[in-house]
Amino acid sequence: PPRSTLFPYTTLFRSVIRCGQAPAQAFHNEIRNLTISIGRGNPRAEGLRFMSNNTGCVRQVRIISEDGLGYAGLNMAFSNENGPLLISDLYVKGFEIGIVTGLFINSQTLENITLEGQKKYGISNGGQPLSIRNLNSTNAVPALFSTTNSLTVLAKATLNGTGPASDTSAIINTAGS
């Protein structure tokens, strides 16, 4: 089938920065010490579309939507060959989803993650083996949504539900459904 059928998110959204693409030859990609802003009025924007194989990282990065619009701050769900990799000291403000992971091979490790002001989920895991340590989420939506054969390990999290989220679950796991 055409690539757009296998990975429908590859053509729907525009990224401020794209790093890597399939096949799995994106070794050692690194983004460090950077602020990415999508500005205002960009509902189909992603801050960073990131891919790395075996050894790669995003460290000390801020991804901001000035008006809260945009699809994802960090998108790692556009290829089934993404990881193992490390995301560390990441701050995401705004967007529909703060961090999107997906598909089902390799693994992704996140630590020291701060999410605020998302409109749908803080993190959406659509099948990735995902390890998260020190997640801080302040949102009116669930901090973590995990589905489609996902495995998510969460340690040392502070999940602050505001508005509608103060009466709902901070974590939604439908992986076994």
Side-chain angles (χ1 to χ4, degrees), residues 103-173:
L103 307 163
F104 50 83
I105 61 173
N106 302 328
S107 65
Q108 296 168 356
T109 302
L110 288 68
E111 71 172 352
N112 304 325
I113 306 297
T114 302
L115 305 170
E116 70 177 63
Q118 281 74 53
K119 299 194 181 322
K120 189 172 182 181
Y121 304 115
I123 297 173
S124 176
N125 184 8
Q128 187 64 233
L130 188 62
S131 300
I132 308 168
R133 183 176 70 89
N134 197 20
L135 170 64
N136 294 291
S137 174
T138 302
N139 271 301
V141 297
L144 174 64
F145 177 74
S146 190
T147 187
T148 317
N149 299 320
S150 298
L151 171 66
T152 304
V153 176
L154 182 61
K156 294 186 177 180
T158 303
L159 310 176
N160 297 309
T162 63
S166 61
D167 293 329
T168 63
S169 299
I171 298 171
I172 298 173
N173 182 6

Side-chain angles (χ1 to χ4, degrees), residues 60-99:
Q60 288 102 22
V61 171
R62 297 171 48 88
I63 306 173
I64 299 167
S65 170
E66 301 296 334
D67 58 6
L69 298 177
Y71 169 63
L74 173 61
N75 182 354
M76 298 184 292
F78 58 93
S79 172
N80 66 347
E81 302 171 336
N82 203 357
L85 56 81
L86 172 66
I87 308 299
S88 179
D89 301 304
L90 176 72
Y91 171 78
V92 180
K93 182 176 181 181
F95 298 94
E96 185 177 327
I97 304 169
I99 300 171

Side-chain angles (χ1 to χ4, degrees), residues 32-43:
R32 293 176 185 240
N33 305 312
L34 184 68
T35 296
I36 301 167
S37 174
I38 68 162
R40 296 182 174 277
N42 294 303

